[in-house]
Amino acid sequence: MLSLKLPRLFTIDQMPQVFHEQGILFGYRHPQSSATACVLSLFQMTNETLNIWTHLLPFWFFVWRFVTALSVTDIQRDSYSWPLFVYMGTSCVYPFASSCAHTFSSMSRNARHICYFLDYGAVNLFSLGSAIAYSAYSIPDVMVHTAFHDCYVPLAVLNTILSTGLSCYSRFLEVQKPGLCKMLRVLAFAYPYTWDSLPIFYRLFLHPGESAQNEAILSHQKHMAMTILASFFYSAHLPERLAPGRFDYIDIEDSPGEERDRQSAVGSEATRWQGPCSGGESVCLVQVGAVGPGGLVEQWFSSLAPGPSVSPSFGNVRILRPHPRHPAPEAWGPALTKAVWLSMGN
């Protein structure tokens, strides 16, 4: 009968310092684990198990949403959907990369660094995907075709490169200068998030009245609340800092916004609530492949003062219901049934 022996776990005193996590005293895997042992550790309680699964399960959820949207979209003809699919693709990449990083980070000291380098790169790629979607769908009317709008995505690309480099560099300071390491890593992720979110901050805080009736605003508020909550957990090292050894299976990871397994769940929920949302209309058309560029849908979009808009990106697929202020032309006929509206969780 085939039996698999689960890997032995170690205490913090038995581990090299580079593997130490604040407040975590037990549940460490061998610092030179084999790839097989790393995979087997998915099925035992280590200080990384929940980290891994709270990234891996959201990955499959986001992939399912991505494939569902692709299946009803003629992506070659429907250019309106391209920024959305870029965003959705990066939303799939970053939880997968993070789950792999936590699975195989115990193979060696160098493997640990490489795994988290890839993790940081994926998180920053997701940041860039968000910026591309925001630029296409969420820029307020007053910012369209301004210098800010023109520079928004190019600077997001630059932020992605700088943030990835800075966060990777911070790993080499973990042992000698842990305080500086933490500060640099938080800065590396906080600045791109702030830049990407400027259009949203404008809608929420500078001109909240113009979007008061927009369903998308509630999703932005929930996303922001989740992000702040996850960032607080990352910076404060709570609750394991207050009770070392009592939260050994709720371990710390190395990416702001998704640092512990509970933060991974919060970060994934934040991603679920994040999406390119327009402040102009409460009901938005996302995929219109059945109509295509130059068709009636595009003509209808062109007639709208606020311009095309997209609602939150991950959710149920439903038949489009045009906004009462801008009813769809009667000439759409059966083509209307082939348009889809993605709205989160409704």
Side-chain angles (χ1 to χ4, degrees):
M1 181 177 179
L2 179 64
S3 62
L4 296 177
K5 184 177 180 180
L6 295 178
R8 174 190 171 192
L9 301 181
F10 298 86
T11 66
I12 191 172
D13 296 331
Q14 297 173 298
M15 300 295 292
Q17 189 172 359
V18 70
F19 289 89
H20 290 187
E21 304 287 6
Q22 184 175 353
I24 307 299
L25 306 183
F26 183 71
Y28 292 90
R29 297 172 294 175
H30 194 283
Q32 293 183 329
S33 300
S34 65
T36 300
C38 289
V39 173
L40 288 176
S41 70
L42 290 171
F43 306 101
Q44 70 176 140
M45 284 306 298
T46 73
N47 59 16
E48 290 285 12
T49 304
L50 295 182
N51 267 334
I52 296 168
W53 283 105
T54 50
H55 285 95
L56 195 57
L57 294 179
F59 161 70
W60 288 112
F61 172 78
F62 293 148
V63 166
W64 171 54
R65 292 302 191 191
F66 191 19
V67 172
T68 299
L70 281 174
S71 67
V72 295
T73 305
D74 184 355
I75 194 171
Q76 291 185 341
R77 300 177 60 202
D78 183 9
S79 59
Y80 289 113
S81 68
W82 293 350
L84 176 66
F85 283 117
V86 169
Y87 166 76
M88 296 177 75
T90 59
S91 297
C92 297
V93 169
Y94 94 83
F96 177 73
S98 192
S99 64
C100 290
H102 289 287
T103 299
F104 299 105
S105 62
S106 63
M107 294 185 66
S108 69
R109 183 191 304 263
N110 289 338
R112 181 177 178 84
H113 287 313
I114 293 172
C115 283
Y116 287 121
F117 290 165
L118 296 175
D119 187 17
Y120 300 153
V123 171
N124 280 289
L125 186 64
F126 167 70
S127 175
L128 178 59
S130 301
I132 291 172
Y134 284 161
S135 176
Y137 306 123
S138 299
I139 293 290
D141 296 342
V142 298
M143 294 183 179
V144 175
H145 301 310
T146 63
F148 172 81
H149 194 191
D150 294 339
C151 297
Y152 180 71
V153 171
L155 284 179
V157 174
L158 179 62
N159 291 341
T160 297
I161 298 172
L162 294 178
S163 176
T164 302
L166 186 59
S167 55
C168 291
Y169 171 73
S170 70
R171 293 201 59 82
F172 299 107
L173 305 176
E174 281 185 323
V175 176
Q176 294 84 2
K177 299 178 179 180
L180 179 59
C181 167
K182 175 70 69 174
M183 183 185 70
L184 290 178
R185 199 169 298 167
V186 170
L187 177 64
F189 288 91
Y191 173 68
Y193 168 77
T194 302
W195 174 259
D196 294 348
S197 302
L198 286 179
I200 309 305
F201 294 157
Y202 180 91
R203 291 191 182 281
L204 293 179
F205 303 116
L206 296 183
H207 289 274
E210 71 177 25
S211 302
Q213 304 301 319
N214 186 6
E215 296 173 5
I217 294 301
L218 179 60
S219 296
H220 283 311
Q221 292 170 341
K222 291 179 178 180
H223 171 249
M224 186 177 299
M226 290 291 182
T227 302
I228 293 173
L229 181 61
S231 299
F232 170 75
F233 282 143
Y234 174 78
S235 302
H237 289 278
L238 296 175
E240 68 277 0
R241 187 180 67 177
L242 301 178
R246 292 183 177 270
F247 300 93
D248 287 345
Y249 299 114
I250 304 179
D251 185 20
I252 298 173
E253 71 177 66
D254 297 276
S255 301
E258 24 168 12
E259 186 189 13
R260 305 179 185 89
D261 58 81
R262 62 182 177 280
Q263 288 171 256
S264 304
V266 171
S268 298
E269 183 68 6
T271 302
R272 179 176 178 271
W273 282 111
Q274 182 184 19
C277 311
S278 168
E281 303 303 324
S282 61
V283 178
C284 315
L285 188 63
V286 182
Q287 327 288 351
V288 290
V291 181
L296 292 173
V297 171
E298 182 175 334
Q299 296 172 21
W300 179 60
F301 270 147
S302 300
S303 70
L304 303 184
S309 56
V310 176
S311 72
S313 60
F314 290 123
N316 300 327
V317 177
R318 298 194 283 180
I319 300 304
L320 174 70
R321 297 180 299 177
H323 193 279
R325 288 171 48 200
H326 301 290
E330 294 182 1
W332 275 20
L336 178 60
T337 62
K338 299 192 178 179
V340 299
W341 172 39
L342 302 181
S343 71
M344 267 186 303
N346 293 329

